[in-house]
Amino acid sequence: MKRTITHLADGRELIYFDRRDDADRGAVDRRELGPRPVASELRYDPLTEEWVAIAGHRQTRTFQPTGTAAECPLCPSSGDRLTEIPASDYDVVVFENRFPSFSGNFATYEDVGGLSAVRPGAGRCEVVCFTPDHDSSFSRLSDDGVELVMEAWADRTAELSGIEGVEQVFCFENRGSEIGITLAHPHGQIYAYPYVTPRTRLQLGAAARHQGPGNLFADVLAAERAAGTRVVAANEHWTAFVPAAARWPFEVHVYPHRQVPDLPALTEAERAAFAPLYTSVLRAFDGLFGVVMPYISAWHQAPVREGRELAYLHLELFSVRRAPGKLKYLAGSESAMGAFVNDVLPEEAARMLRSQLDH
């Protein structure tokens, strides 16, 4: 793999990840860009003990251009059509988000009164372009294409974990208009948070209180593998299963068989084994109803400093689609109370997904 660092016209960092050592990455960003926005501010909610990022500049971010490659800012540049990627082709590209939720470009943050503390939204947000093919998808990547994306995820996790003030690194993909994507090109994002996220705190707290024979995550994986009824796919290094208490109509968790804290800790063999299993699950999602399945794919990694001995790297994949023409909306119970009601029996969801793998 070749890793090349360059910069965009406004100073943002861009990194090419190439399969070939002779890839030419000398293309220059010829656009005229305005100044970069200042970092968001974090406001503390004393009732939930959570930080909320207030990022008003994100209201102006690019929102659902025509959907064609001609309007896409994530396709390679060509002639006078200049995009976020100056090169005329690429394998995998990572660059700083032009409209970040977190950054190091601080301003002045004033007291807002009440009981809410305020501090800068320190951190970093990056965009990961999986392929130059605008009409492709993660599920259609080759195995070595997935491995290259994993190399990029691991590289960025290690790099961003070293930024002062960063407490957790989150790699994820949003897919589909139903999820709320603003760009259709196959891509994901990476958030380097200045705090440990609420979901991670809950899981690590549960792991610390666990009274089972081993690590909580490892025991969940062992129990699901033993039960078998919710296992969707497995190989030597990974198991994909629908959790017994799934919140979403179609939800699959993918665990390595070895407890590791984060993506950089995976071996070469583990990364290679992930690719065919994961893309087969994604294709099973798309095959369920004969329509493109919207989804969120979320890597759960250990925080940078705390709870690393309790954490267990895993991926959570879920969709809001519950039937061909029906979506799962987060209405009163879920949005107001955080109390989920799932319309699909997890065992039935697993059976439906397994049936697609047989095709």
Side-chain angles (χ1 to χ4, degrees):
M1 180 196 76
K2 179 183 179 182
R3 177 180 181 270
T4 306
I5 300 176
T6 183
H7 291 83
L8 298 173
D10 56 2
R12 287 177 292 135
E13 193 172 57
L14 181 146
I15 308 160
Y16 294 99
F17 293 86
D18 289 296
R19 300 182 185 89
R20 298 182 359 256
D21 289 337
D22 61 348
D24 180 4
R25 296 308 178 199
V28 175
D29 184 6
R30 295 182 284 116
R31 298 173 298 170
E32 293 185 6
L33 300 177
R36 298 164 68 176
V38 298
S40 62
E41 62 181 40
L42 295 181
R43 297 189 181 186
Y44 186 71
D45 183 345
L47 298 180
T48 62
E49 299 182 316
E50 296 174 3
W51 290 95
V52 178
I54 310 297
H57 62 271
R58 284 176 54 79
Q59 282 279 50
T60 61
R61 67 188 185 275
T62 306
F63 182 76
Q64 294 182 347
T66 61
T68 66
E71 298 284 338
C72 179
L74 305 184
C75 285
S77 291
S78 176
D80 292 330
R81 187 180 64 79
L82 306 177
T83 73
E84 290 280 68
I85 296 95
S88 59
D89 196 13
Y90 61 84
D91 289 337
V92 173
V93 170
V94 177
F95 61 87
E96 289 184 77
N97 197 318
R98 190 175 174 184
F99 306 96
S101 299
F102 308 99
S103 78
N105 190 22
F106 301 152
T108 301
Y109 303 90
E110 300 178 356
D111 181 16
V112 295
L115 297 181
S116 180
V118 177
R119 63 187 176 103
R124 180 149 150 158
C125 292
E126 297 182 338
V127 176
V128 184
C129 296
F130 304 140
T131 170
D133 185 351
H134 181 84
D135 297 317
S136 188
S137 66
F138 200 109
S139 66
R140 292 164 59 186
L141 294 179
S142 64
D143 288 351
D144 66 332
V146 174
E147 289 181 54
L148 188 60
V149 173
M150 294 189 78
E151 289 282 353
W153 283 334
D155 176 278
R156 303 317 301 148
T157 295
E159 192 80 15
L160 297 177
S161 294
I163 295 178
E164 183 178 358
V166 167
E167 297 295 336
Q168 186 174 357
V169 178
F170 175 45
C171 305
F172 64 101
E173 179 191 3
N174 297 327
R175 185 206 188 193
S177 58
E178 299 91 338
I179 294 296
I181 63 162
T182 56
L183 296 172
H185 192 106
H187 74 287
Q189 298 182 64
I190 304 176
Y191 275 22
Y193 293 103
Y195 53 80
V196 177
T197 60
R199 184 82 187 280
T200 299
R201 285 201 175 280
L202 284 173
Q203 291 187 347
L204 293 180
R209 295 186 295 273
H210 180 55
Q211 300 296 315
N215 173 275
L216 172 60
F217 299 96
D219 286 352
V220 167
L221 173 61
E224 290 294 346
R225 283 173 58 83
T229 184
R230 288 177 295 273
V231 171
V232 175
N235 61 26
E236 180 184 359
H237 294 288
W238 298 84
T239 293
F241 62 90
V242 177
R247 289 168 169 76
W248 302 93
F250 293 93
E251 176 178 345
V252 173
H253 294 189
V254 185
Y255 276 55
H257 294 168
R258 184 174 66 96
Q259 182 185 357
V260 295
D262 51 26
L263 287 157
L266 291 173
T267 65
E268 185 176 331
E270 287 167 335
R271 294 181 190 182
F274 173 78
L277 181 139
Y278 179 55
T279 53
S280 70
V281 172
L282 290 180
R283 289 191 294 270
F285 265 52
D286 279 346
L288 282 172
F289 304 121
V291 294
V292 171
M293 198 75 155
Y295 64 72
I296 292 173
S297 178
W299 280 107
H300 288 252
Q301 304 195 86
V304 173
R305 274 167 277 277
E306 59 180 274
R308 292 185 65 82
E309 74 287 352
L310 294 171
Y312 195 122
L313 172 73
H314 62 284
L315 181 140
E316 296 185 5
L317 170 73
F318 55 90
S319 178
V320 297
R321 190 179 298 285
R322 59 188 176 89
K326 299 178 181 178
L327 301 180
K328 166 67 178 178
Y329 292 101
L330 298 191
S333 185
E334 291 87 359
S335 293
M337 291 291 104
F340 275 71
V341 179
N342 189 354
D343 305 293
V344 179
L345 187 70
E347 291 74 17
E348 175 63 9
R351 185 199 65 75
M352 293 172 66
L353 288 166
R354 283 195 302 268
S355 72
Q356 292 302 312
L357 295 177
D358 296 334
H359 289 175

